[in-house]
Amino acid sequence: MDCPVPKNDYDKILLAHGGGGTLMHRLIDDIFKSNFDNEILSQGNDSAIFEISGTKFAFTTDSYVVQPLFFPGGDIGTLAVNGTVNDLCVSGAKPLYISVGFIIEEGFPIEELEKIVISMKKSAEEAKIKIVTGDTKVINKKSGDGIYINTSGIGIVYDEVNISAGNLKPGDKIILSGKIADHGIAVMSARENLEFETEIKSDCAALNGLVDEIFSVSKNIKVMRDPTRGGVAGTLNEIAKSSGLGIKIYEDKIPVSEPVRGACEILGFDPMYVANEGKLIAFVKSKDAEKVLLKMQSHHLGKESVIIGEVTSENPARVIMKTVIGSSRIVDMISGEQLPRIC
Amino acid sequence: MDCPVPKNDYDKILLAHGGGGTLMHRLIDDIFKSNFDNEILSQGNDSAIFEISGTKFAFTTDSYVVQPLFFPGGDIGTLAVNGTVNDLCVSGAKPLYISVGFIIEEGFPIEELEKIVISMKKSAEEAKIKIVTGDTKVINKKSGDGIYINTSGIGIVYDEVNISAGNLKPGDKIILSGKIADHGIAVMSARENLEFETEIKSDCAALNGLVDEIFSVSKNIKVMRDPTRGGVAGTLNEIAKSSGLGIKIYEDKIPVSEPVRGACEILGFDPMYVANEGKLIAFVKSKDAEKVLLKMQSHHLGKESVIIGEVTSENPARVIMKTVIGSSRIVDMISGEQLPRIC
């Protein structure tokens, strides 16, 4: 049973309020949704979807506060572009334009700023989107951690595409585009100066090319998400809760690389809760699942795509994992985040 | 003569890089524009303007880092909504939707967060726009100053309206919508705990209603701007530089309230460089200037509107002020900002 915690059980913001778990969702519901209430916001998607003169748009925003700013496989700049591109494309939209707002700490080296800007430029080129407007604010020394970046993005929703947890039906298949937990472990290893036998790199990438491919073979995609904060477990829980249906996944199908599995064991993390920045979860109508899977596997970002489970009528609003030893366990949403400041 | 300073004369970010003066413009040109270069960004307006399926859109972003968070006449929440609404409407667009990205410091009181959110809700209602999507990040204690807010906004450009410094012609009149420097002085007095005989309140307000009225009587508005960072002097200099024409203004026409004038004298500030958050500068074709002025004066935010000067062919790219004693002086852009963290 869910035990709703009273609104005022915390009077101060905790790090966990930013972690993609139950605490963050409660903050959003209690403070933001209840005040800003309108029919577009209440859709509760990664992007707002609205129609203007017959065209359906997606609009999204994300701030990036990752520490450290540079990590194996990327930096705050690659994250800031790809993260917002991904929020748009998993909403069923073709990303077009993004804005960038820099908040820079006094004393930040201009050389590092330029490195970050060049990463953003390259990521924008790869994702085939344009950075069209920006803003720069400078804050006093010790009022920041070098640099924070906000990007907001606009895209056009694909024709005949309707992404919504409300569309889900028992039997829909769940496809995951590859190995999980690389991003979180890469950032963590950079933060703590950990060295593993094999360097673990962030999977940070723009998913709009892969999404384009998916829509070229099927419009029967019910829900798509990029499992960032809160990891695959957090994302699946959000979807189970908003659809009211159950989700069954198979432990032996969840792809985790050996180095990441090892690092998670050493650090005491469950890879299911660790952030990804270049992975896609697609909920597909059963009859189209095989076709979509093959198409995903033909794309360089989806080579290791696999069906990890399905939607069920049993266990409403719950995520259940069939373990390798054959038992079932509930995969719950955690309250905060194992790894803060991961994006 | 302009003396271009070499790119690498600073190797670290200074507070002045965020001040709306020459240093900020150099940073934008050297690092941002040169890397993100595209035809939309290079328009160099407050908002990006682009066309999608026959409709012209404006898209803008701004981060708010004001200190203190609460000040007479407003708070960071009212600023965050009105500032972005104003960037859209001075670009000739009707603001529709905005996003909000919160970066909150661990330990920030939830009560204060809710006060800010309620200010945003009220400002959005007054401006008749919707907050449709958001993001929340939490940063560690001492990695922030309580809260930073980014808002990005989308609007639709009015038919037959074309706002661009390139449209200016000698003889165009310059209308200012009211008294200047209230916002900067209100924030400064709150920051320094200064008490003046009369409380000085920020002029923070959404200008889209006033802009609506202006367009109802004339589409011959060449340029509009809200003189925030860098003040009226900074804004006029930007316009003079991008148009390549001269700007002549009359000191005795510039409206400043007595309390603000007194505070500026005590603090050693020139009100021409102090930020405003609810004022409009409109460059209007001479034949329509009287009509636009009257319409502005009939709106509650434009009651004290006044023609402060005109565009000239003399003094290209310069702002010249006719002083009360009859002499002329150059009103230059300053390198940084008299008052950092004002918005």
Side-chain angles (χ1 to χ4, degrees), chain A residues 107-135:
Chain A
F108 189 66
I110 290 190
E111 202 186 322
E112 287 192 23
L113 176 63
E114 193 155 21
K115 255 172 92 175
I116 291 165
V117 166
I118 289 170
S119 292
M120 296 186 78
K121 166 199 165 84
K122 282 190 190 153
S123 300
E125 282 167 1
E126 278 168 32
K128 300 194 177 89
I129 57 100
K130 282 180 181 149
I131 296 170
V132 293
T133 189
D135 174 59

PDB file of all heavy atoms in Angstrom, chain A residues 107-135:
ATOM      1  N   GLY A 107      35.337  33.809 -11.826  1.00  0.00           N
ATOM      2  CA  GLY A 107      36.615  33.111 -11.713  1.00  0.00           C
ATOM      3  C   GLY A 107      36.700  31.844 -12.543  1.00  0.00           C
ATOM      4  O   GLY A 107      37.764  31.220 -12.616  1.00  0.00           O
ATOM      5  N   PHE A 108      35.609  31.448 -13.188  1.00  0.00           N
ATOM      6  CA  PHE A 108      35.620  30.222 -13.996  1.00  0.00           C
ATOM      7  C   PHE A 108      36.544  30.429 -15.200  1.00  0.00           C
ATOM      8  O   PHE A 108      36.460  31.458 -15.878  1.00  0.00           O
ATOM      9  CB  PHE A 108      34.194  29.889 -14.453  1.00  0.00           C
ATOM     10  CG  PHE A 108      34.057  28.545 -15.094  1.00  0.00           C
ATOM     11  CD1 PHE A 108      34.259  27.386 -14.350  1.00  0.00           C
ATOM     12  CD2 PHE A 108      33.739  28.412 -16.439  1.00  0.00           C
ATOM     13  CE1 PHE A 108      34.137  26.127 -14.930  1.00  0.00           C
ATOM     14  CE2 PHE A 108      33.612  27.165 -17.030  1.00  0.00           C
ATOM     15  CZ  PHE A 108      33.811  26.019 -16.279  1.00  0.00           C
ATOM     16  N   PRO A 109      37.432  29.475 -15.471  1.00  0.00           N
ATOM     17  CA  PRO A 109      38.373  29.664 -16.586  1.00  0.00           C
ATOM     18  C   PRO A 109      37.660  29.738 -17.935  1.00  0.00           C
ATOM     19  O   PRO A 109      36.854  28.864 -18.252  1.00  0.00           O
ATOM     20  CB  PRO A 109      39.257  28.411 -16.520  1.00  0.00           C
ATOM     21  CG  PRO A 109      39.035  27.829 -15.166  1.00  0.00           C
ATOM     22  CD  PRO A 109      37.649  28.213 -14.766  1.00  0.00           C
ATOM     23  N   ILE A 110      37.977  30.760 -18.714  1.00  0.00           N
ATOM     24  CA  ILE A 110      37.342  30.927 -20.028  1.00  0.00           C
ATOM     25  C   ILE A 110      37.708  29.759 -20.939  1.00  0.00           C
ATOM     26  O   ILE A 110      36.914  29.332 -21.769  1.00  0.00           O
ATOM     27  CB  ILE A 110      37.720  32.307 -20.624  1.00  0.00           C
ATOM     28  CG1 ILE A 110      36.999  33.389 -19.786  1.00  0.00           C
ATOM     29  CG2 ILE A 110      37.345  32.413 -22.092  1.00  0.00           C
ATOM     30  CD1 ILE A 110      37.028  34.778 -20.314  1.00  0.00           C
ATOM     31  N   GLU A 111      38.895  29.187 -20.734  1.00  0.00           N
ATOM     32  CA  GLU A 111      39.299  28.024 -21.530  1.00  0.00           C
ATOM     33  C   GLU A 111      38.334  26.847 -21.317  1.00  0.00           C
ATOM     34  O   GLU A 111      37.977  26.144 -22.271  1.00  0.00           O
ATOM     35  CB  GLU A 111      40.719  27.626 -21.092  1.00  0.00           C
ATOM     36  CG  GLU A 111      41.465  26.833 -22.124  1.00  0.00           C
ATOM     37  CD  GLU A 111      42.809  26.358 -21.561  1.00  0.00           C
ATOM     38  OE1 GLU A 111      43.463  27.114 -20.812  1.00  0.00           O
ATOM     39  OE2 GLU A 111      43.179  25.210 -21.872  1.00  0.00           O
ATOM     40  N   GLU A 112      37.934  26.632 -20.073  1.00  0.00           N
ATOM     41  CA  GLU A 112      36.983  25.540 -19.804  1.00  0.00           C
ATOM     42  C   GLU A 112      35.606  25.850 -20.384  1.00  0.00           C
ATOM     43  O   GLU A 112      34.926  24.978 -20.909  1.00  0.00           O
ATOM     44  CB  GLU A 112      36.873  25.275 -18.291  1.00  0.00           C
ATOM     45  CG  GLU A 112      38.101  24.597 -17.746  1.00  0.00           C
ATOM     46  CD  GLU A 112      37.922  24.066 -16.325  1.00  0.00           C
ATOM     47  OE1 GLU A 112      36.782  23.829 -15.896  1.00  0.00           O
ATOM     48  OE2 GLU A 112      38.936  23.893 -15.645  1.00  0.00           O
ATOM     49  N   LEU A 113      35.221  27.133 -20.276  1.00  0.00           N
ATOM     50  CA  LEU A 113      33.939  27.540 -20.865  1.00  0.00           C
ATOM     51  C   LEU A 113      33.939  27.236 -22.357  1.00  0.00           C
ATOM     52  O   LEU A 113      32.979  26.694 -22.900  1.00  0.00           O
ATOM     53  CB  LEU A 113      33.706  29.037 -20.623  1.00  0.00           C
ATOM     54  CG  LEU A 113      32.456  29.628 -21.272  1.00  0.00           C
ATOM     55  CD1 LEU A 113      31.193  28.986 -20.713  1.00  0.00           C
ATOM     56  CD2 LEU A 113      32.394  31.144 -21.069  1.00  0.00           C
ATOM     57  N   GLU A 114      35.049  27.560 -23.006  1.00  0.00           N
ATOM     58  CA  GLU A 114      35.103  27.346 -24.447  1.00  0.00           C
ATOM     59  C   GLU A 114      35.073  25.850 -24.792  1.00  0.00           C
ATOM     60  O   GLU A 114      34.435  25.441 -25.754  1.00  0.00           O
ATOM     61  CB  GLU A 114      36.351  28.027 -25.042  1.00  0.00           C
ATOM     62  CG  GLU A 114      36.260  28.090 -26.566  1.00  0.00           C
ATOM     63  CD  GLU A 114      37.076  29.218 -27.190  1.00  0.00           C
ATOM     64  OE1 GLU A 114      38.018  29.704 -26.524  1.00  0.00           O
ATOM     65  OE2 GLU A 114      36.759  29.601 -28.333  1.00  0.00           O
ATOM     66  N   LYS A 115      35.725  25.027 -23.974  1.00  0.00           N
ATOM     67  CA  LYS A 115      35.670  23.568 -24.184  1.00  0.00           C
ATOM     68  C   LYS A 115      34.220  23.073 -24.126  1.00  0.00           C
ATOM     69  O   LYS A 115      33.791  22.259 -24.947  1.00  0.00           O
ATOM     70  CB  LYS A 115      36.472  22.855 -23.070  1.00  0.00           C
ATOM     71  CG  LYS A 115      37.815  22.316 -23.533  1.00  0.00           C
ATOM     72  CD  LYS A 115      38.646  21.810 -22.379  1.00  0.00           C
ATOM     73  CE  LYS A 115      38.477  20.342 -22.076  1.00  0.00           C
ATOM     74  NZ  LYS A 115      39.441  19.911 -20.997  1.00  0.00           N
ATOM     75  N   ILE A 116      33.489  23.589 -23.151  1.00  0.00           N
ATOM     76  CA  ILE A 116      32.086  23.182 -22.971  1.00  0.00           C
ATOM     77  C   ILE A 116      31.241  23.654 -24.154  1.00  0.00           C
ATOM     78  O   ILE A 116      30.409  22.915 -24.682  1.00  0.00           O
ATOM     79  CB  ILE A 116      31.548  23.748 -21.634  1.00  0.00           C
ATOM     80  CG1 ILE A 116      32.240  23.043 -20.460  1.00  0.00           C
ATOM     81  CG2 ILE A 116      30.036  23.611 -21.538  1.00  0.00           C
ATOM     82  CD1 ILE A 116      32.075  23.734 -19.113  1.00  0.00           C
ATOM     83  N   VAL A 117      31.492  24.887 -24.577  1.00  0.00           N
ATOM     84  CA  VAL A 117      30.735  25.446 -25.702  1.00  0.00           C
ATOM     85  C   VAL A 117      31.018  24.646 -26.976  1.00  0.00           C
ATOM     86  O   VAL A 117      30.103  24.364 -27.765  1.00  0.00           O
ATOM     87  CB  VAL A 117      31.067  26.951 -25.867  1.00  0.00           C
ATOM     88  CG1 VAL A 117      30.582  27.482 -27.203  1.00  0.00           C
ATOM     89  CG2 VAL A 117      30.454  27.751 -24.716  1.00  0.00           C
ATOM     90  N   ILE A 118      32.261  24.243 -27.165  1.00  0.00           N
ATOM     91  CA  ILE A 118      32.601  23.449 -28.355  1.00  0.00           C
ATOM     92  C   ILE A 118      31.917  22.070 -28.289  1.00  0.00           C
ATOM     93  O   ILE A 118      31.428  21.559 -29.292  1.00  0.00           O
ATOM     94  CB  ILE A 118      34.135  23.349 -28.519  1.00  0.00           C
ATOM     95  CG1 ILE A 118      34.672  24.731 -28.938  1.00  0.00           C
ATOM     96  CG2 ILE A 118      34.529  22.282 -29.540  1.00  0.00           C
ATOM     97  CD1 ILE A 118      36.180  24.871 -28.903  1.00  0.00           C
ATOM     98  N   SER A 119      31.841  21.486 -27.102  1.00  0.00           N
ATOM     99  CA  SER A 119      31.090  20.231 -26.954  1.00  0.00           C
ATOM    100  C   SER A 119      29.631  20.417 -27.339  1.00  0.00           C
ATOM    101  O   SER A 119      29.023  19.558 -27.977  1.00  0.00           O
ATOM    102  CB  SER A 119      31.109  19.755 -25.490  1.00  0.00           C
ATOM    103  OG  SER A 119      32.383  19.363 -25.111  1.00  0.00           O
ATOM    104  N   MET A 120      29.052  21.548 -26.936  1.00  0.00           N
ATOM    105  CA  MET A 120      27.644  21.819 -27.258  1.00  0.00           C
ATOM    106  C   MET A 120      27.466  21.972 -28.759  1.00  0.00           C
ATOM    107  O   MET A 120      26.503  21.468 -29.341  1.00  0.00           O
ATOM    108  CB  MET A 120      27.164  23.090 -26.545  1.00  0.00           C
ATOM    109  CG  MET A 120      27.175  22.964 -25.037  1.00  0.00           C
ATOM    110  SD  MET A 120      26.447  24.407 -24.196  1.00  0.00           S
ATOM    111  CE  MET A 120      24.697  24.058 -24.420  1.00  0.00           C
ATOM    112  N   LYS A 121      28.399  22.688 -29.355  1.00  0.00           N
ATOM    113  CA  LYS A 121      28.352  22.898 -30.813  1.00  0.00           C
ATOM    114  C   LYS A 121      28.386  21.549 -31.543  1.00  0.00           C
ATOM    115  O   LYS A 121      27.584  21.278 -32.425  1.00  0.00           O
ATOM    116  CB  LYS A 121      29.556  23.766 -31.204  1.00  0.00           C
ATOM    117  CG  LYS A 121      29.901  23.841 -32.679  1.00  0.00           C
ATOM    118  CD  LYS A 121      31.351  24.328 -32.796  1.00  0.00           C
ATOM    119  CE  LYS A 121      31.957  24.115 -34.162  1.00  0.00           C
ATOM    120  NZ  LYS A 121      31.625  25.183 -35.093  1.00  0.00           N
ATOM    121  N   LYS A 122      29.335  20.683 -31.130  1.00  0.00           N
ATOM    122  CA  LYS A 122      29.461  19.366 -31.782  1.00  0.00           C
ATOM    123  C   LYS A 122      28.213  18.520 -31.565  1.00  0.00           C
ATOM    124  O   LYS A 122      27.729  17.858 -32.471  1.00  0.00           O
ATOM    125  CB  LYS A 122      30.682  18.618 -31.219  1.00  0.00           C
ATOM    126  CG  LYS A 122      31.992  19.120 -31.792  1.00  0.00           C
ATOM    127  CD  LYS A 122      33.139  18.194 -31.383  1.00  0.00           C
ATOM    128  CE  LYS A 122      34.477  18.804 -31.741  1.00  0.00           C
ATOM    129  NZ  LYS A 122      35.552  18.334 -30.852  1.00  0.00           N
ATOM    130  N   SER A 123      27.698  18.533 -30.330  1.00  0.00           N
ATOM    131  CA  SER A 123      26.501  17.736 -30.041  1.00  0.00           C
ATOM    132  C   SER A 123      25.313  18.238 -30.853  1.00  0.00           C
ATOM    133  O   SER A 123      24.508  17.450 -31.345  1.00  0.00           O
ATOM    134  CB  SER A 123      26.163  17.799 -28.552  1.00  0.00           C
ATOM    135  OG  SER A 123      27.233  17.303 -27.792  1.00  0.00           O
ATOM    136  N   ALA A 124      25.225  19.567 -30.991  1.00  0.00           N
ATOM    137  CA  ALA A 124      24.116  20.141 -31.772  1.00  0.00           C
ATOM    138  C   ALA A 124      24.231  19.717 -33.234  1.00  0.00           C
ATOM    139  O   ALA A 124      23.239  19.359 -33.872  1.00  0.00           O
ATOM    140  CB  ALA A 124      24.114  21.662 -31.646  1.00  0.00           C
ATOM    141  N   GLU A 125      25.459  19.718 -33.756  1.00  0.00           N
ATOM    142  CA  GLU A 125      25.655  19.306 -35.152  1.00  0.00           C
ATOM    143  C   GLU A 125      25.274  17.840 -35.337  1.00  0.00           C
ATOM    144  O   GLU A 125      24.581  17.477 -36.278  1.00  0.00           O
ATOM    145  CB  GLU A 125      27.120  19.528 -35.567  1.00  0.00           C
ATOM    146  CG  GLU A 125      27.416  20.987 -35.881  1.00  0.00           C
ATOM    147  CD  GLU A 125      28.919  21.298 -35.980  1.00  0.00           C
ATOM    148  OE1 GLU A 125      29.743  20.358 -35.817  1.00  0.00           O
ATOM    149  OE2 GLU A 125      29.250  22.473 -36.186  1.00  0.00           O
ATOM    150  N   GLU A 126      25.739  16.995 -34.409  1.00  0.00           N
ATOM    151  CA  GLU A 126      25.430  15.566 -34.521  1.00  0.00           C
ATOM    152  C   GLU A 126      23.928  15.314 -34.445  1.00  0.00           C
ATOM    153  O   GLU A 126      23.396  14.452 -35.133  1.00  0.00           O
ATOM    154  CB  GLU A 126      26.139  14.787 -33.405  1.00  0.00           C
ATOM    155  CG  GLU A 126      27.600  14.494 -33.737  1.00  0.00           C
ATOM    156  CD  GLU A 126      28.379  13.979 -32.525  1.00  0.00           C
ATOM    157  OE1 GLU A 126      27.763  13.301 -31.668  1.00  0.00           O
ATOM    158  OE2 GLU A 126      29.581  14.272 -32.443  1.00  0.00           O
ATOM    159  N   ALA A 127      23.259  16.072 -33.572  1.00  0.00           N
ATOM    160  CA  ALA A 127      21.813  15.868 -33.399  1.00  0.00           C
ATOM    161  C   ALA A 127      21.007  16.607 -34.462  1.00  0.00           C
ATOM    162  O   ALA A 127      19.786  16.500 -34.512  1.00  0.00           O
ATOM    163  CB  ALA A 127      21.380  16.314 -32.011  1.00  0.00           C
ATOM    164  N   LYS A 128      21.707  17.373 -35.308  1.00  0.00           N
ATOM    165  CA  LYS A 128      21.065  18.153 -36.376  1.00  0.00           C
ATOM    166  C   LYS A 128      20.014  19.120 -35.829  1.00  0.00           C
ATOM    167  O   LYS A 128      18.905  19.231 -36.355  1.00  0.00           O
ATOM    168  CB  LYS A 128      20.457  17.231 -37.433  1.00  0.00           C
ATOM    169  CG  LYS A 128      21.492  16.317 -38.103  1.00  0.00           C
ATOM    170  CD  LYS A 128      20.905  15.688 -39.360  1.00  0.00           C
ATOM    171  CE  LYS A 128      21.917  14.825 -40.090  1.00  0.00           C
ATOM    172  NZ  LYS A 128      21.942  13.437 -39.650  1.00  0.00           N
ATOM    173  N   ILE A 129      20.346  19.797 -34.727  1.00  0.00           N
ATOM    174  CA  ILE A 129      19.457  20.834 -34.203  1.00  0.00           C
ATOM    175  C   ILE A 129      20.258  22.128 -34.105  1.00  0.00           C
ATOM    176  O   ILE A 129      21.483  22.111 -34.217  1.00  0.00           O
ATOM    177  CB  ILE A 129      18.886  20.463 -32.819  1.00  0.00           C
ATOM    178  CG1 ILE A 129      20.020  20.192 -31.814  1.00  0.00           C
ATOM    179  CG2 ILE A 129      17.994  19.242 -32.905  1.00  0.00           C
ATOM    180  CD1 ILE A 129      20.334  21.254 -30.907  1.00  0.00           C
ATOM    181  N   LYS A 130      19.544  23.235 -33.907  1.00  0.00           N
ATOM    182  CA  LYS A 130      20.224  24.528 -33.837  1.00  0.00           C
ATOM    183  C   LYS A 130      20.051  25.175 -32.471  1.00  0.00           C
ATOM    184  O   LYS A 130      18.959  25.158 -31.910  1.00  0.00           O
ATOM    185  CB  LYS A 130      19.668  25.468 -34.904  1.00  0.00           C
ATOM    186  CG  LYS A 130      20.222  25.157 -36.274  1.00  0.00           C
ATOM    187  CD  LYS A 130      19.677  26.095 -37.323  1.00  0.00           C
ATOM    188  CE  LYS A 130      20.267  25.715 -38.687  1.00  0.00           C
ATOM    189  NZ  LYS A 130      19.340  26.003 -39.769  1.00  0.00           N
ATOM    190  N   ILE A 131      21.152  25.754 -31.979  1.00  0.00           N
ATOM    191  CA  ILE A 131      21.095  26.558 -30.755  1.00  0.00           C
ATOM    192  C   ILE A 131      20.799  27.982 -31.210  1.00  0.00           C
ATOM    193  O   ILE A 131      21.624  28.608 -31.869  1.00  0.00           O
ATOM    194  CB  ILE A 131      22.432  26.474 -29.995  1.00  0.00           C
ATOM    195  CG1 ILE A 131      22.674  25.028 -29.533  1.00  0.00           C
ATOM    196  CG2 ILE A 131      22.437  27.452 -28.817  1.00  0.00           C
ATOM    197  CD1 ILE A 131      24.053  24.761 -28.978  1.00  0.00           C
ATOM    198  N   VAL A 132      19.594  28.491 -30.911  1.00  0.00           N
ATOM    199  CA  VAL A 132      19.150  29.727 -31.555  1.00  0.00           C
ATOM    200  C   VAL A 132      19.088  30.949 -30.651  1.00  0.00           C
ATOM    201  O   VAL A 132      18.947  32.079 -31.137  1.00  0.00           O
ATOM    202  CB  VAL A 132      17.771  29.547 -32.240  1.00  0.00           C
ATOM    203  CG1 VAL A 132      17.891  28.583 -33.414  1.00  0.00           C
ATOM    204  CG2 VAL A 132      16.711  29.075 -31.252  1.00  0.00           C
ATOM    205  N   THR A 133      19.166  30.760 -29.334  1.00  0.00           N
ATOM    206  CA  THR A 133      19.092  31.916 -28.444  1.00  0.00           C
ATOM    207  C   THR A 133      19.756  31.561 -27.123  1.00  0.00           C
ATOM    208  O   THR A 133      19.872  30.374 -26.787  1.00  0.00           O
ATOM    209  CB  THR A 133      17.620  32.391 -28.259  1.00  0.00           C
ATOM    210  OG1 THR A 133      17.595  33.638 -27.567  1.00  0.00           O
ATOM    211  CG2 THR A 133      16.781  31.363 -27.510  1.00  0.00           C
ATOM    212  N   GLY A 134      20.241  32.561 -26.400  1.00  0.00           N
ATOM    213  CA  GLY A 134      20.955  32.250 -25.171  1.00  0.00           C
ATOM    214  C   GLY A 134      20.950  33.389 -24.181  1.00  0.00           C
ATOM    215  O   GLY A 134      20.449  34.484 -24.450  1.00  0.00           O
ATOM    216  N   ASP A 135      21.515  33.085 -23.007  1.00  0.00           N
ATOM    217  CA  ASP A 135      21.597  34.080 -21.935  1.00  0.00           C
ATOM    218  C   ASP A 135      22.785  33.710 -21.061  1.00  0.00           C
ATOM    219  O   ASP A 135      23.095  32.532 -20.880  1.00  0.00           O
ATOM    220  CB  ASP A 135      20.303  34.048 -21.113  1.00  0.00           C
ATOM    221  CG  ASP A 135      20.378  34.958 -19.897  1.00  0.00           C
ATOM    222  OD1 ASP A 135      20.593  36.171 -20.080  1.00  0.00           O
ATOM    223  OD2 ASP A 135      20.210  34.468 -18.759  1.00  0.00           O
TER     224      ASP A 135
END
